[in-house]
Amino acid sequence: MGSKSSVAHAQVNNTHFVAPGEECGEATPCYESIQAAVDAAANGDLIKVSRGRYTSVLSQVVYIDKAITLIGGYSTTDWDRSDPAKRPTIIDGEGGDRRGVYIEGHNVPTITLSGLVIQRTSPLNTKGAGIYIQNGSVILRQNLVVSNTTDVKGTSGGGLQVNYGTVILIGNTFQNNNAAGGGGIGIGNGLVTMQHNYVLSNGAFFGGGLQIQGGTVAMKGNIILDNSGGTEQGPSILITGGSLDAENDIIADTNSDPGGEAIS
């Protein structure tokens, strides 16, 4: 995850600010939770989130069904520059039965998430623990998706599950996530473009790094290392449907049983 976020987004209508304790300094309007800011936002709005840990007792920490741009890595004394490495903005599932972010983007313009840490989610009997994308045009840029689990039989997408939509992944890290299929990323359908992402040390019975069940996937310049699977169908990338076009990617050190295959 980069130290400074540079996100291109549509013309911003309004900017909302989020900080722990609803203490945003002089910035207004200010919210204590990311969800409160999303609920108050309209299509085209920008939400800036200060460093801190954000949780929920609901079935996801954040639910998005609007064309917003959500950026972490700010501080309450500097709302001009995002620095996710020094100012982590953490969406934390706390190991509970919930997703990190649920995106329903049907019939709305582009949704962008950048500079966030999404961790420790463990939803039961469902797909997509860290991030679940049901539909829409979505950009994920420079996020760290780590230690999320949905490993009940039939589930997929420990870090990210894409069901439908047009999704662009740029400069994200998916690490130490687990699922029955697609430990790092599960793709059920849609058009998915992956550029310069890290998919590291994820685990699944089917496709330790990625499982592609449908759709069209284009990859360029990604690093996919040390992912593990449990059977002959457990390589780093498992393709059971759809198509994959890969260019200049590093895919290696797969810990599968047996054979250590990279792509199947």
Side-chain angles (χ1 to χ4, degrees):
M1 187 170 62
S3 62
K4 184 175 181 180
S5 176
S6 177
V7 180
H9 49 77
Q11 182 177 354
V12 174
N13 295 328
N14 294 290
T15 301
H16 307 260
F17 303 90
V18 181
E22 204 171 335
E23 297 179 357
C24 299
E26 297 181 357
T28 60
C30 179
Y31 307 88
E32 184 174 11
S33 72
I34 299 173
Q35 189 62 61
V38 172
D39 292 344
N43 286 339
D45 283 2
L46 170 65
I47 299 174
K48 295 184 175 184
V49 189
S50 173
R51 66 183 303 168
R53 190 170 65 93
Y54 300 88
T55 64
S56 175
V57 297
L58 302 178
S59 56
Q60 64 275 318
V61 181
V62 183
Y63 176 83
I64 300 173
D65 61 354
K66 303 172 182 178
I68 60 168
T69 296
L70 176 64
I71 306 177
Y74 293 96
S75 77
T76 57
T77 58
D78 183 3
W79 291 108
D80 294 324
R81 188 174 65 98
S82 170
D83 192 339
K86 293 182 178 180
R87 307 164 180 168
T89 298
I90 302 170
I91 294 175
D92 191 350
E94 300 182 297
D97 179 12
R98 65 185 59 88
R99 292 181 169 111
V101 180
Y102 186 121
I103 295 175
E104 171 53 86
H106 184 64
N107 288 335
V108 300
T110 302
I111 297 168
T112 300
L113 273 63
S114 177
L116 304 170
V117 179
I118 300 169
Q119 68 178 28
R120 298 199 306 159
T121 66
S122 188
L124 299 175
N125 301 313
T126 191
K127 297 181 178 181
I131 304 171
Y132 180 78
I133 299 174
Q134 175 58 32
N135 213 322
S137 174
V138 181
I139 299 173
L140 304 180
R141 185 191 298 267
Q142 296 179 341
N143 301 287
L144 172 61
V145 185
V146 59
S147 299
N148 301 284
T149 300
T150 175
D151 57 5
V152 177
K153 183 178 180 180
T155 64
S156 61
L160 164 68
Q161 175 70 26
V162 179
N163 260 10
Y164 289 93
T166 300
V167 179
I168 299 175
L169 310 176
I170 303 175
N172 303 282
T173 297
F174 299 89
Q175 187 168 11
N176 294 331
N177 302 288
N178 291 276
I185 301 171
I187 299 171
N189 215 318
L191 177 62
V192 179
T193 301
M194 297 178 58
Q195 297 180 353
H196 307 297
N197 300 280
Y198 292 86
V199 182
L200 309 172
S201 302
N202 302 283
F205 195 70
F206 302 101
L210 287 81
Q211 182 183 28
I212 301 170
Q213 297 175 296
T216 301
V217 181
M219 294 172 44
K220 184 175 181 179
N222 301 280
I223 296 177
I224 302 173
L225 297 175
D226 295 325
N227 299 285
S228 61
T231 72
E232 67 275 5
Q233 292 184 315
S236 199
I237 301 176
L238 176 64
I239 305 170
T240 58
S243 65
L244 171 64
D245 180 13
E247 178 183 353
N248 296 328
D249 300 286
I250 297 174
I251 306 170
D253 296 334
T254 301
N255 300 308
S256 296
D257 179 24
E261 296 173 300
I263 301 177
S264 178

